[in-house]
Amino acid sequence: MSAEAHRYAVFGHPIAHSLSPDIHSAFAAQLGIALDYRTIDAAPEDFVAQVKRFFAEGGLGANVTLPHKNVALALADKHTEAAARTGSANTLTPLVGGGIEAHNTDGSGFVRDITERHGFDLRGHDALLLGAGGAAKAVAWALMDAGVRSLTIVNRTPERADEIADAIGEPARCRTRYWDGLEGECFDLVVNATSIGVTGGDFALPMSIVQDHSTAYDLCYGTASAGFKGWAIAAGVRPDWFRDGLGMLVEQAADAFERWHGQRPDTDPVYRELRQRY
Ligand code: ATR
């Protein structure tokens, strides 16, 4: 890589296993763009200073992952509606004339993966969202924008689900239920946006909430999606109608890439290559 290659980075803590450098480098190679995309491990107390230094030294774009996404929005001088709605940012871009713009591509990446890659037309469907953290918030707005007939949000801490539904403000279409209050309900799509697959725990949900036409989608991938996949298939979701979050990871990266480089990469070869590893 030449010394003049344009500098990009992903900030997180930990960050060593991030796939973002591989994904962005593959996109850049496809389009003949010289790119130097690195991981930067930033402890929470150093994150803001490190981001500011990165841009002051000529960095042209930064992705942000756990645990910094909320602070990434707060440190920005300007933000997009997608970032404001989710209260967090995963894409930072230097503004012409100085300053930083915050954006969030999680919701758009999710919708593009499920609709374009997996052919699931969200319009008119009944969706259940498990979880109410930052990722869930992005997915909730994206599902509403994509035209689901109804969105039900459940969360271990119900107040967090209520907050999302209140912010969306369409009570006829978006509602919350208690985690243990789903008996008798059935959904076309169940999205897991909890961290149960990472931290451990059970998906204590009635099996009757899915049928064999239902799709189950986990925002996690790899071993972290095994628990939800196991629950979904035991509950009756067809194995090939279970989706993990690998495609969303590639699509949210493509949305950031397009924002920075003005060109949309072909995500399919990159997704296929990663799929062989995960
Ligand atoms: P992120 O921003 O990545 O989405 P987060 O804000 O830590 O992460 O959210 C994690 C989600 O997983 C939350 O919805 C959390 O529920 P709470 O809001 O009650 O904390 C959910 N979660 C984590 N462990 C869980 C468990 N064992 N059972 C049920 N939900 C769990």
Side-chain angles (χ1 to χ4, degrees), residues 66 69-70 130-137 154-158 160-161 179 192-196 199-202 219:
L66 299 178
K69 286 180 165 189
N70 296 351
L130 310 175
K137 213 181 273 183
V154 298
N155 192 46
R156 178 178 60 183
T157 310
R160 294 183 82 193
W179 188 277
N192 175 37
T194 72
S195 51
I196 293 175
T199 57
D202 291 328
L219 301 196

Side-chain angles (χ1 to χ4, degrees), residues 107-127:
S108 59
F110 165 76
V111 166
R112 204 183 284 270
D113 181 54
I114 196 165
T115 57
E116 293 184 15
R117 174 162 296 107
H118 301 305
F120 188 104
D121 185 347
L122 290 159
R123 287 172 297 179
H125 284 110
D126 296 313

